[in-house]
Amino acid sequence: MDWYASARQKTAVRASLAIGDQAIISGIGFITSVVVGRVAGRAELGVYTLGMSVVFLAMSFQQSLISAPHTIFVIRHKGRDRAEYNGSILFQFLSLNLLIMVAIGLTAGVMLAGFGSQDSATLLALLMLICPAVLIREFGRRFLFADFRVGSALVLDASIAALQLGMLWLLVSSGLLTGKTALLAVAIACAVSGIIWLVRSLHAFHISKDNLLPEMRRSWNFGRWIFGGQVSAALVMVTLNWLLAGFKGTTATGVFGACMMLIMLSNPFII
């Protein structure tokens, strides 16, 4: 039964690392919200909350349509076949990011044309850069989880947390901290670490034209029901935040966002 004891020990270690990794993600989000609220004020916290609500919506798209199918199907592939499957997943990731950027850009353009708040349009324009940066972080950590490299995911998220905290400190010390600059700090930290991970992991990806459409269909067939559930929940939160900002202002949104962040501290154990 030595193999059984070894397997249990390995599973326990992975579970502990996974909880630690999620604790870092939830913890850095909580710390960032507290710093923005305390230093920049509730109104700027509201701006930060609005931006992150859109980011979370984009993450739900990626998680349901790309990461969840990849987690299930990747173990069926070995060797070069696995590299080609990973390549198709990378192509889906890049395509989805492009679609998200276009959708956000079009929405921002409509608002700038006079069909919405100019501040909201500016925030959405900024989110065209922020969403892809956060999504590459999320793509990387989910990819590592699917490959059972939980320790590597922990290292990736710890490096992002360290960069993000450092940039927050610089913004606070220079008096430049606002909701938008906090979002930029999150994006830069995610982009730097995420791109480094992707460059170092390129050997795991091989894009084959023959596999792109079949794998995209398989991901959609598997992930569409997850997509419906996750996106519906994310849309409710996005709608609440933006309606609250429209009717009561970003200060009320900041208070609501702070309350929700406290609730989300349970995420390390749930996820």
Side-chain angles (χ1 to χ4, degrees):
M1 296 297 289
D2 290 343
W3 66 270
Y4 179 68
S6 176
R8 285 189 62 185
Q9 183 180 11
K10 186 180 294 186
T11 300
V13 169
R14 285 173 175 169
S16 299
L17 291 175
I19 292 174
D21 176 83
Q22 190 58 44
I24 290 175
I25 294 296
S26 298
I28 192 63
F30 177 74
I31 291 171
T32 302
S33 297
V34 170
V35 171
V36 173
R38 290 288 186 180
V39 176
R42 288 179 293 179
E44 291 300 325
L45 177 58
V47 173
Y48 175 78
T49 300
L50 287 174
M52 288 306 298
S53 69
V54 176
V55 173
F56 289 143
L57 177 62
M59 285 170 57
S60 70
F61 276 73
Q62 180 170 291
Q63 169 61 14
S64 58
L65 294 177
I66 297 175
S67 296
H70 173 252
T71 301
I72 298 300
F73 295 128
V74 69
I75 59 174
R76 303 181 183 182
H77 300 272
K78 303 294 181 182
R80 184 174 178 81
D81 182 49
R82 186 166 186 154
E84 291 183 354
Y85 175 67
N86 288 339
S88 70
I89 291 297
L90 178 62
F91 176 79
Q92 291 174 44
F93 163 74
L94 295 173
S95 301
L96 180 62
N97 268 264
L98 180 60
L99 289 174
I100 289 172
M101 290 176 67
V102 170
I104 294 175
L106 289 175
T107 305
V110 170
M111 288 186 172
L112 286 172
F115 294 94
S117 165
Q118 299 297 301
D119 288 339
S120 297
T122 303
L123 176 60
L124 285 174
L126 189 63
L127 287 170
M128 288 181 64
L129 301 176
I130 294 169
C131 278
V134 177
L135 289 179
I136 192 174
R137 184 279 309 270
E138 194 63 18
F139 177 75
R141 66 191 294 266
R142 298 289 179 178
F143 184 91
L144 291 170
F145 276 130
D147 207 27
F148 293 104
R149 289 186 285 164
V150 185
S152 298
L154 182 64
V155 170
L156 174 64
D157 287 330
S159 64
I160 291 170
L163 280 173
Q164 189 170 322
L165 286 175
M167 296 193 66
L168 282 176
W169 179 82
L170 288 174
L171 290 171
V172 171
S173 60
S174 61
L176 297 176
L177 183 66
T178 64
K180 292 176 182 177
T181 57
L183 287 168
L184 281 174
V186 172
I188 292 172
C190 290
V192 170
S193 298
I195 290 172
I196 290 174
W197 165 80
L198 183 59
V199 170
R200 295 184 62 183
S201 303
L202 283 177
H203 64 276
F205 302 95
H206 179 77
I207 295 179
S208 172
K209 295 180 181 179
D210 296 335
N211 289 341
L212 296 183
L213 288 180
E215 291 299 346
M216 191 174 294
R217 283 194 295 267
R218 183 164 71 158
S219 292
W220 168 253
N221 288 333
F222 177 85
R224 55 186 175 180
W225 301 112
I226 305 174
F227 170 80
Q230 288 194 356
V231 171
S232 296
L235 276 173
V236 169
M237 190 55 61
V238 171
T239 303
L240 281 174
N241 282 309
W242 285 82
L243 283 177
L244 192 57
F247 286 105
K248 293 295 183 179
T250 54
T251 299
T253 308
V255 175
F256 179 73
C259 294
M260 291 304 301
M261 189 58 65
L262 286 172
I263 296 172
M264 290 173 65
L265 284 177
S266 61
N267 275 352
F269 302 100
I270 296 174
I271 295 179

